[in-house]
């Protein structure tokens, strides 16, 4: 087992490291150009497979929020040509992809009751992009596969008993010990990045807390947090509340500069 874990550690040491907007060290195997190409290809596929909402008022509302958020992004991202699409989908979801792509499901607008709450959702999703979480996630998955394959080779070459059981346990360990915690870290990081982003754009940051209060009502039963890719709503709310003072200061500064979005549904 020590040799297996050493193989995974060696694989991890071979990749490039970056730093996230919150100062966290990240792994990154792909260039920004490669990630943009992946994001654009995925978005085109989604547009061909899912129904796109054609209501002008709905699209104008979503684009109004997106434009306000994009204007506050670092120049690298603000200068991109962003594409915003509203999909006819009842799920309470939205997403953003590398390459300047934002997708919003109509179902999320039943949960996000106003522009501030929807800005919290969209800011969170854009936060994933500027923190380069997609690169980190794809890189992490590749490294896990390399490590597990190396472990398999070591077990087979040494004719170790119960190797199948060991590999299954190692796979579960990678899932619960690495992949899911990484996902929860990404979600928490995107929450904070999105909170600051919406505040800089002039939206009310308390809308983020109201949003997650609404989201928590959608389902009374959730799997344990350690088995989930997302933090529990209660934990997200606590983290957002802990960062609210600085976010409200950013919002006050934005208002003093005349940034007061008025996006109407």
């Amino acid at each position: 087992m020590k040799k297996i874990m050493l193989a995974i550690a060696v694989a991890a040491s071979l990749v490039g490291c970056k730093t996230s907007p919150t100062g966290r060290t990240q792994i990154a195997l792909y260039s920004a150009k490669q990630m943009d190409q992946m994001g654009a290809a995925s978005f085109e596929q989604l547009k061909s497979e899912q129904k796109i909402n054609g209501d002008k008022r709905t699209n104008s509302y979503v684009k109004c929020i997106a434009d306000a958020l994009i204007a506050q992004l670092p120049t690298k991202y603000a200068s991109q040509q962003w594409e915003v699409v509203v999909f006819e989908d009842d799920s309470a979801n939205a997403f953003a992809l590398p390459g300047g792509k934002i997708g919003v499901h109509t179902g999320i607008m039943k949960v996000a009751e106003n522009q501030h709450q929807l800005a919290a959702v969209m800011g969170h999703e854009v936060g994933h992009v500027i923190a380069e979480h997609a690169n980190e996630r794809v890189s992490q998955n590749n490294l896990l596969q390399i490590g597990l394959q190396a472990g398999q080779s070591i077990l087979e070459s040494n004719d170790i008993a119960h190797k199948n059981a060991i590999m299954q346990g190692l796979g579960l360990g990678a899932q619960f010990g690495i992949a899911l915690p990484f996902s929860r870290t990404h979600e928490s990081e995107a929450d904070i990045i999105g909170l600051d982003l919406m505040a800089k754009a002039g939206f009310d940051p308390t809308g983020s807390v109201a949003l997650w209060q609404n989201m928590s009502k959608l389902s009374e039963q959730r799997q344990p947090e350690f088995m989930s890719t997302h933090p529990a709503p209660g934990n997200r709310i606590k983290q957002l509340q802990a960062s609210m003072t600085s976010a409200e200061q950013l919002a006050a500064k934005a208002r003093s500069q005349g940034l007061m979005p008025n996006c109407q549904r």
Side-chain angles (χ1 to χ4, degrees), residues 188-189 191-193 195-196 199 205-206 208-209 236-250:
S188 296
E189 192 167 56
D191 278 347
I192 298 305
I193 295 171
L195 179 67
D196 286 350
T206 61
S208 62
V209 172
R236 299 182 90 144
I237 290 171
K238 288 179 182 178
Q239 177 181 253
L240 289 166
Q241 289 174 329
S243 303
M244 196 57 63
T245 299
S246 60
E248 288 180 331
Q249 290 173 349
L250 291 173

Side-chain angles (χ1 to χ4, degrees), residues 27 135-146 179:
I27 55 173
N135 194 338
E136 190 174 6
R137 191 77 57 86
V138 175
S139 299
Q140 172 207 340
N141 287 341
N142 285 345
L143 283 176
L144 285 176
Q145 289 302 313
I146 292 170

Side-chain angles (χ1 to χ4, degrees), residues 141-159:
N141 287 341
N142 285 345
L143 283 176
L144 285 176
Q145 289 302 313
I146 292 170
L148 292 174
Q149 289 169 5
Q152 181 74 45
S153 298
I154 291 170
L155 289 172
E156 290 179 350
S157 64
N158 288 278
D159 195 27

Side-chain angles (χ1 to χ4, degrees), residues 55-92:
D55 182 73
K56 290 183 179 181
R57 185 167 182 174
T58 298
N59 279 266
S60 177
Y61 171 61
V62 172
K63 191 174 185 305
C64 175
I65 296 172
D67 288 345
L69 294 171
I70 291 167
Q72 299 306 313
L73 292 175
T75 304
K76 172 184 175 181
Y77 298 99
S79 60
Q80 284 184 313
Q81 186 66 43
W82 285 78
E83 181 180 6
V84 183
V85 175
V86 180
F87 292 97
E88 283 289 348
D89 192 313
D90 289 335
S91 62

Side-chain angles (χ1 to χ4, degrees), residues 9 42 62 70 175 199 222 234:
S42 297
V62 172
I70 291 167
Q175 176 72 359
R222 290 176 52 87

